[in-house]
Every structure is written in structure tokens, then in C-alpha cells.
Amino acid sequence: MDFSTKLNALVARTETALDRLVPALPADAPAGPARLHAAMRHSLQAGGKRLRPVLALAAAELGGPEHIEAALPAAIALECVHTYSLIHDDLPCMDDDDLRRGRPTCHRAFDEATALLAGDALLTEAFVILAQTYAARPALAAALIRELADAANARRLIGGQMQDLLAERAAGENIPPATSAELEYIHLNKTAAMLEASLVCGGLVAGLAPAALETLRRAGRHLGLAFQIVDDVLDASAATAELGKTAGKDARDGKATYVSLHGLDRARELAAEATAQARAALAELPGDPTFLLALADRMLTRRN
Ligand code: GRG
């Protein structure tokens, strides 16, 4: 199977599992207020790249194709946490954005309070999915919950976001912008943490050995940095219609990015270097990493 066919197949399996595992728009009362579920699905089913689920499924496949099915709930939990972070990041008190995944942001389509709650609900739902679907394998359930919680906590995703907000405020108050070390801290936590967790969760489901899990974590760290540098490059160089989110925002907000610190050309080189480091780690993995290697390349050349 060629790369694009396989990528499309993994995305399609993710979409089907999302529909199955996240509470439906309730005609059925037990699922709770319809408006909340509509807001959750508005953001969740808006057609993101599904990168985190695909990384999890591909990592699981390293242990054999039979592990893909078992990894689907973990993949959906990762996408729920990611989508919550996007909804909250778009809120007026944070990035204040109108467009996400080519659609009005959650608070624009609904209202601020509903968007806040939809994010909260998706974050919580992620852990419900892990606890319920892996209940028959309690050690695996605990490991997955720990991995996702570690990635999403105050030291990583939320800590990175906080530091990002502080750096942005500093720029607005004419305090010197973030240094490259500070920027790396932000991106390792705001962006790379969830990509590391995606690969490791897939590896956990497949029962990979601790050394392989650490290699996945290392690969995820480099992929995460590469992904973020490409994000900075795209924000500075691509069009809003192509991105499905507002382009050119970083420069307008005076934000420190790889592009503002190093310039477009050097930022592109740094993304390529981080991708090469990710590829070197992926090549050490057991099983067949061909798809993950091609995915690393695709992440470098992506247009949105
Ligand atoms: C609010 C706790 C909290 C965290 C927010 C995700 C995030 C942290 C901020 C979004 C802004 C941003 C540009 C983050 C860095 C790169 C990134 C995570 C982009 C979005 O991920 P994609 O491109 O999105 O995979 P899709 O929509 O394709 O899933």
C-alpha cells in the first residue's frame, strides 16, 4: 500500500472511531445537553489532519497490524485532548481567533461559555474513553492515562501554553521577546508533548519494550519541534484559505517564532534538521517504520 493510501485509510478509521466513541448528538437524553455535544462535535469533526491519531496507530502497527484496532480508542483520546486545546487556544482570552479547521471557531459558532465547556468536556471524555475501553487491561489503561495526563498537564501542554501567553504579553509591553531557549521550551511542551504521547501510546498498546518506547518519545520530540517550526513558517508564508486558520497572526501579534528569531530560510533548515533527527530515531525502531518515516517527510512538506 502506498503512503497516501495508507494515510487516508488510517484517517478514515479515526473518523469512524470518533463518531463511535464520542457521545452523539443526543436525541437520546442521557448524553446530556444537545448544545454542548453539538459544540464538541463542531470542533472535533471539522476535519483536522488527525496527525496525533495517525501517529498512535502507526506506532501501534510496529508491533503488528492487529494492534491498530486496539489503539483506536487511545488515538481518539489523544484527538479529544488536542481538540480541547485548540478550542481553548482560540478563545478571546487567549489567541482570540475566528477560524479553525476551515470553520468558525467554537466560540464564534456557539458562544464563549459553551466553547469553554466543550473543551472541558472533550478533555474529560478523553480519560473516560481510556478508562472504559481498556478496563480489561488495567495495567495498559493506567499506563495510557498516565502518558496522556503527563503530556497534557501543567508541566507540558498547559505549561507551554502559559509560557507562550506570557511571552506574547511581554512582547506587547516592549519587554524583549522570547529567546531561542525560551521558544524551544514553549514548543517542546505546547506542541511536542502531544506528539511524543501519541507515538508512546501507540507503542504501549502494542506492548513494545521500554527501550522502543523511549525511542518513540525521542522521535516524537524531534517531530514536534519540526512540526512547530513548519507551523511558524506556514503562518508567515501561506494563505488563510490554504491553512484553514488565520495566517500572518504571529507577526501581527509581535510573537517570537522560529521565523522571527532566525528568518524564513534558516527556520526551514531547522525544520529539516529536526526531521532528520526524528527519522534517525524512527529508523532504530523494531518492526517496519517505513510509514512513519514517510509521515515525517510529509509533516515537513505539509501546506496546512
Ligand atoms: C489551551 C492548554 C491549551 C493549549 C493550547 C494546541 C495549542 C496549545 C495551541 C494551538 C496554537 C498552535 C499554533 C499550536 C502549535 C501547533 C499546533 C498544535 C497546531 C495545531 O495542530 P494541527 O496543525 O491541527 O495538527 P489540526 O487542526 O490539523 O488537528
Side-chain angles (χ1 to χ4, degrees), residues 33-292:
R35 185 174 176 79
L36 178 62
H37 293 277
M40 290 160 74
R41 286 194 161 220
H42 169 84
S43 294
L44 200 54
Q45 296 190 311
K49 291 183 285 297
R50 309 308 190 200
L51 175 61
R52 292 143 196 88
V54 167
L55 285 171
L57 300 178
E61 196 185 14
L62 292 169
E66 68 279 13
H67 296 294
I68 295 180
E69 188 64 29
L72 274 168
I76 300 312
L78 286 152
E79 188 67 13
C80 285
V81 171
H82 170 58
T83 305
Y84 124 76
S85 78
L86 297 179
I87 293 175
H88 282 196
D89 182 66
D90 289 333
L91 286 171
C93 61
M94 295 212 194
D95 217 24
D96 192 10
D97 221 321
D98 296 338
L99 193 67
R100 172 69 68 182
R101 294 177 162 172
R103 284 186 174 183
T105 47
C106 197
H107 66 277
R108 286 273 168 225
F110 293 85
D111 58 75
E112 229 177 294
T114 305
L116 187 75
L117 292 175
D120 293 340
L122 284 169
L123 174 61
T124 311
E125 199 60 32
F127 292 96
V128 171
I129 290 170
L130 292 179
Q132 281 184 350
T133 52
Y134 297 102
R137 298 168 71 187
L140 175 61
L144 291 170
I145 288 169
R146 171 85 198 264
E147 185 63 35
L148 187 52
D150 277 349
N153 73 13
R155 279 175 296 280
R156 303 232 53 198
L157 175 64
I158 299 174
Q161 175 75 356
M162 181 79 236
Q163 198 57 46
D164 197 25
L165 289 176
L166 291 172
E168 215 173 303
R169 279 179 204 160
E173 288 162 19
N174 281 335
I175 297 168
T179 62
S180 62
E182 285 161 349
L183 194 61
E184 188 176 84
Y185 169 86
I186 291 170
H187 296 329
L188 281 177
N189 293 297
K190 190 180 86 167
T191 308
M194 286 294 291
L195 300 195
E196 288 170 33
S198 301
L199 287 170
V200 172
C201 283
L204 283 168
V205 173
L208 298 189
L213 296 177
E214 282 320 302
T215 305
L216 283 170
R217 195 180 297 291
R218 185 155 42 90
R221 173 190 165 97
H222 294 307
L223 275 183
L225 271 186
F227 184 81
Q228 181 59 54
I229 301 170
V230 170
D231 221 67
D232 290 353
V233 167
L234 289 175
D235 183 84
S237 60
T240 296
E242 203 173 9
L243 288 183
K245 61 181 181 181
T246 315
K249 247 184 146 251
D250 294 342
R252 207 172 61 223
D253 296 344
K255 205 165 165 176
T257 66
Y258 276 83
V259 174
S260 72
L261 285 184
H262 302 286
L264 256 180
D265 289 345
R266 181 65 189 138
R268 288 194 175 106
E269 280 171 15
L270 289 168
E273 285 169 21
T275 301
Q277 287 173 304
R279 287 183 60 97
L282 292 170
E284 291 172 25
L285 287 165
D288 179 3
T290 308
F291 176 78
L292 280 168

